[in-house]
Amino acid sequence: MSRSPMIVRTVPALRRALDGLRARKATIALVPTMGALHDGHVSLVRLAKGRARKVIVSIFVNPTQFAPTEDFGSYPRTWKADVSRLAAEDVDLIWNPDVKVMYPEGFATRIVPEGPAVAGLEDRFRPHFFGGVATVVGKLFTQVRPDFAIFGEKDFQQLRVVAQMAGDLDLRVKVIGSRTVRERDGLAMSSRNVYLTPGERQVAPVLYRAMKESAKRLRAGDDVEAAMAGGRELITNAGFIVDYFEVRHAVTLAPIASVKDGPARILVAARLGKTRLIDNLGV
Ligand code: PAF
């Protein structure tokens, strides 16, 4: 039978709870989220449970990773449903600070990531994003001091940025990427999929089809430019505006001239109506 997770909202209460959870040297895995949980998040929690004795899920919609023009105000917030899902997964603790707890009056320190954070992908279109993510994840890591932290591969550049930060700052946490969970038609699960109209939802899986098509051509030895142009065209013809559709080195995220210079990963961001979707695929 599942029990309700402990819900904690202040730093002193978190410290007390962590002392309890760490009794008998239990290992801890952290799953950082912004709530609006879907099956993709549940797969992160299950991976966390396989790695550590205790699982903490943070739910915090982080204002510093949204630009003023973005959807911070309207980002889906589904607290009750999230708690039920986490209870069903037997999560031990939900860390749910509010903005004043994470960024109290006078807060003046930020992490400015480089390397994969300035690869010219998401950062080109959302220049504020990785600074906000690195700062909040840096805080989550120091607050919780987890042994493991699980991030979805769907946000592939984010995963690389966080892993780089943890290594560069000698944090003890092991950052683990979890495979993207897809709908039956290939659309990657995302909290922002709820923004798609029914018509757009029908079209959206073309992103996955285009990546698969380009990956196949790259594996067959096609020229990078030609293989990527083919995928880009498929996406554009379906009605998307493409921000980027590129093949990069899967670790550094640097451009590569051939998949032989890999491991290679295709990364895409494209806008359909008011919704911006991102996805990626190993080649
Ligand atoms: O991927 C997300 O949900 C967020 O970017 C994260 C990692 C929880 C930081 O706010």
Side-chain angles (χ1 to χ4, degrees):
M1 223 188 64
S2 62
R3 0 157 234 128
S4 284
M6 197 186 323
I7 295 170
V8 176
R9 296 202 163 97
T10 67
V11 173
L14 178 67
R15 288 187 182 144
R16 280 194 301 276
L18 286 169
D19 287 345
L21 291 182
R22 283 213 180 82
R24 281 173 281 144
K25 298 201 170 23
T27 48
I28 292 181
L30 172 68
V31 181
T33 82
M34 298 204 298
L37 304 180
H38 49 68
D39 288 354
H41 293 110
V42 170
S43 77
L44 305 184
V45 169
R46 291 184 182 163
L47 182 57
K49 284 195 82 80
R51 286 295 181 128
R53 286 260 314 280
K54 303 288 178 187
V55 173
I56 298 181
V57 175
S58 61
I59 298 184
F60 177 64
V61 185
N62 174 35
T64 65
Q65 67 191 71
F66 290 79
T69 51
E70 292 181 346
D71 56 344
F72 174 69
S74 58
Y75 193 83
R77 287 160 170 89
T78 55
W79 171 255
K80 275 195 174 154
D82 291 349
V83 174
S84 307
R85 286 201 93 142
L86 297 177
E89 296 302 319
D90 225 1
V91 161
D92 297 279
L93 187 148
I94 301 175
W95 172 221
N96 178 228
D98 73 11
V99 175
K100 287 201 188 94
V101 167
M102 286 304 255
Y103 303 112
E105 183 84 20
F107 182 88
T109 304
R110 271 168 199 279
I111 294 175
V112 182
E114 296 181 356
V118 292
L121 296 163
E122 279 303 284
D123 48 295
R124 206 148 45 92
F125 298 89
R126 307 180 72 197
H128 55 281
F129 181 67
F130 290 118
V133 167
T135 301
V136 81
V137 172
K139 280 197 69 132
L140 291 168
F141 283 177
T142 48
Q143 289 164 339
V144 175
R145 285 176 289 118
D147 301 281
F148 304 97
I150 319 291
F151 291 82
E153 281 187 348
K154 192 187 86 61
D155 297 281
F156 197 78
Q157 191 176 2
Q158 168 174 279
L159 170 62
R160 290 294 313 119
V161 169
V162 168
Q164 178 82 37
M165 174 185 76
D168 288 349
L169 299 184
D170 295 324
L171 304 179
R172 274 175 87 130
V173 60
K174 182 168 168 48
V175 174
I176 298 170
S178 178
R179 279 171 60 134
T180 301
V181 179
R182 298 183 180 280
E183 305 285 357
R184 289 168 75 93
D185 59 9
L187 177 66
M189 288 195 185
S190 162
S191 304
R192 288 190 169 103
N193 289 352
V194 295
Y195 298 155
L196 295 166
T197 64
E200 291 166 349
R201 174 63 190 81
Q202 297 279 311
V203 169
V206 80
L207 287 186
Y208 184 52
R209 285 205 294 279
M211 288 192 298
K212 281 206 301 194
E213 188 59 36
S214 292
K216 195 165 131 199
R217 289 181 61 176
L218 290 169
R219 277 187 220 113
D222 254 20
D223 169 66
V224 165
E225 274 308 311
M228 299 315 289
R232 215 171 281 128
E233 194 179 316
L234 269 177
I235 299 171
T236 308
N237 289 347
F240 277 93
I241 296 169
V242 178
D243 282 350
Y244 57 84
F245 181 78
E246 294 194 25
V247 62
R248 293 292 184 96
H249 190 282
V251 178
T252 63
L253 300 184
I256 48 174
S258 153
V259 287
K260 291 194 193 107
D261 304 332
R265 194 114 194 157
I266 295 175
L267 299 104
V268 61
R271 285 168 285 139
L272 189 58
K274 292 198 173 83
T275 311
R276 186 170 183 277
L277 300 176
I278 64 170
D279 203 346
N280 64 87
L281 188 72
V283 177

